[in-house]
Amino acid sequence: MDVFFYAVPGLIMAVAVFMAVAVIRRSLEMNRAWSSGLTAEARCLRSFTTTSGGGSDTSVSTTLHHVYEFRARDGRTVRFEEENGPATIIEGDIVTVHYIAERPEKATAHRPSRGKLAAGTVGILVFCTVIVLFCIGFMVGVHEFFSMGDSAGSGGDDFDGTGLPF
């Protein structure tokens, strides 16, 4: 049963690290697109929402998605989906997208806002770091607890902890 106290925090840490990597990757993609200087006029083909949560103990979370299509400088037609765009953009609207020539499918319709992007990225990374540190602390504490129990039950004189208060 000791494995449970290591496996669950290990899984939580893995999810937190995966989330941090995904946030850093998307942040770098957006920054590269903004810095490339390449822009195009794109048409919003579709706008939709997805929901998650809503169980007995969780709140509902709604995410707005937009699907855009544009013609890159090399003549290719590129279609991409982006989350959390402005709610004022509807199907048929024309927006400016930023992209890099090598990977136009990683375009963004978000307006350049490096400060906001950096603040959001740092905030999520701090949150993920706190989760990882908490899990490590929990695992160390559980290890110490089980180690203390093992040495107390061995019958040897090597236990130097305090006895029970009764």
Side-chain angles (χ1 to χ4, degrees), residues 97-153:
V97 295
H98 302 266
Y99 68 99
I100 58 174
E102 300 81 34
R103 306 224 29 218
E105 66 278 0
K106 298 291 184 181
T108 181
H110 290 285
R111 296 178 193 260
S113 180
R114 286 181 175 82
K116 186 176 174 182
L117 178 66
T121 302
V122 168
I124 292 173
L125 291 178
V126 167
F127 177 73
C128 290
T129 302
V130 168
I131 289 173
V132 168
L133 291 175
F134 177 80
C135 288
I136 289 171
F138 178 81
M139 290 167 65
V140 168
V142 164
H143 179 75
E144 292 293 322
F145 178 77
F146 285 129
S147 295
M148 184 175 65
D150 289 344
S151 63

Side-chain angles (χ1 to χ4, degrees), residues 13-24:
M13 288 188 325
V15 169
V17 169
F18 176 77
M19 189 169 110
V21 169
V23 165
I24 290 171

Side-chain angles (χ1 to χ4, degrees), residues 43-48 66-67 88-94:
R43 178 176 303 278
C44 178
L45 300 177
R46 185 169 177 228
S47 177
F48 64 96
H66 291 96
V67 178
T88 56
I89 296 176
I90 59 172
E91 293 178 23
D93 284 353
I94 303 293

